[in-house]
């Protein structure tokens, strides 16, 4: 055994530290390898043969393949990562906006209550109420009695 090995085993804390360091580097290597493989398939500019070649290179010679990929295509890898993060953020923001707008809208029951109140006040006739109610129940959107009158009378 070399002197360095004796040093690690003479001091158990140093041996534990070396074990954790090797384990950490091993995990980081796999993280880097998988990120490179994901980037290969994320790149829309590269054709199928290019993707197959890089994948084969990275799998057959992992250390050399990953280092060559990072040197050759590392800058584009960062741009693709940023573009993917922006796309995900925009999709999330769009979902939140749609969901927020959907909860502030009025329901069919609210629309029918408004129509009933308008009919009881005499603002719309029974025939207009019936047509507006059909629009609300069919899901055509919020019923506006004035609009249904204009479309039904041909004005």
């Amino acid at each position: 055994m070399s002197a360095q090995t004796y040093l690690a085993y003479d001091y158990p804390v140093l041996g534990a530290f070396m074990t954790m360091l090797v384990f950490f580097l091993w995990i980081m290597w796999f993280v880097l390898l998988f990120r490179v493989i994901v980037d290969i398939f994320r790149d829309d500019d590269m054709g199928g043969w290019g993707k197959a070649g890089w994948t084969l290179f990275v799998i057959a010679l992992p250390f050399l393949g990953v280092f060559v990929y990072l040197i050759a295509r590392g800058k584009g890898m960062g741009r693709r990562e940023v573009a993917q993060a922006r796309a995900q953020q925009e999709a999330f923001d769009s979902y939140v906006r749609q969901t927020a707008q959907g909860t502030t809208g009025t329901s069919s029951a609210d629309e029918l209550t408004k129509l009933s109140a308008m009919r009881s006040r005499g603002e719309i006739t029974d025939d207009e109420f019936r047509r507006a109610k059909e629009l609300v129940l069919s899901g055509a959107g919020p019923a506006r009695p004035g609009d249904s009158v204009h479309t039904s009378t041909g004005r």
Side-chain angles (χ1 to χ4, degrees):
M1 295 186 127
S2 68
Q4 191 175 28
T5 306
Y6 286 128
L7 180 65
Y9 288 106
D10 286 343
Y11 299 101
V13 173
L14 186 59
F17 174 75
M18 291 299 290
T19 302
M20 288 189 317
L21 179 66
V22 168
F23 185 70
F24 173 76
L25 292 175
W26 185 68
I27 295 296
M28 288 306 297
W29 169 250
F30 278 109
V31 168
L32 184 62
L33 177 68
F34 290 127
R35 287 194 67 174
V36 165
I37 290 173
V38 165
D39 187 67
I40 289 171
F41 289 103
R42 179 184 292 162
D43 189 6
D44 292 333
D45 297 335
M46 193 182 329
W49 288 107
K51 290 179 183 185
W54 274 111
T55 304
L56 186 64
F57 186 40
V58 166
I59 290 175
L61 300 170
F63 290 108
L64 182 63
V66 167
F67 292 134
V68 169
Y69 186 84
L70 289 175
I71 291 169
R73 301 181 53 84
K75 189 178 278 189
M77 187 175 174
R79 281 193 291 260
R80 285 185 291 278
E81 187 74 27
V82 168
Q84 175 72 18
R86 282 187 183 144
Q88 285 179 340
Q89 185 64 40
E90 288 173 8
F92 176 74
D93 291 344
S94 173
Y95 171 75
V96 168
R97 269 191 245 91
Q98 287 176 351
T99 303
Q101 289 174 354
T103 58
T104 60
T106 57
S107 67
S108 297
D110 294 336
E111 290 292 325
L112 290 174
T113 304
K114 289 177 187 176
L115 284 171
S116 178
M118 289 173 71
R119 182 179 64 172
S120 65
R121 287 191 305 257
E123 295 176 6
I124 59 173
T125 64
D126 288 337
D127 191 40
E128 290 171 339
F129 173 78
R130 183 184 49 78
R131 279 182 261 154
K133 182 175 127 181
E134 288 173 4
L135 282 174
V136 169
L137 293 178
S138 70
R144 288 177 274 183
D147 291 346
S148 64
V149 171
H150 291 300
T151 56
S152 65
T153 58
R155 283 192 255 166

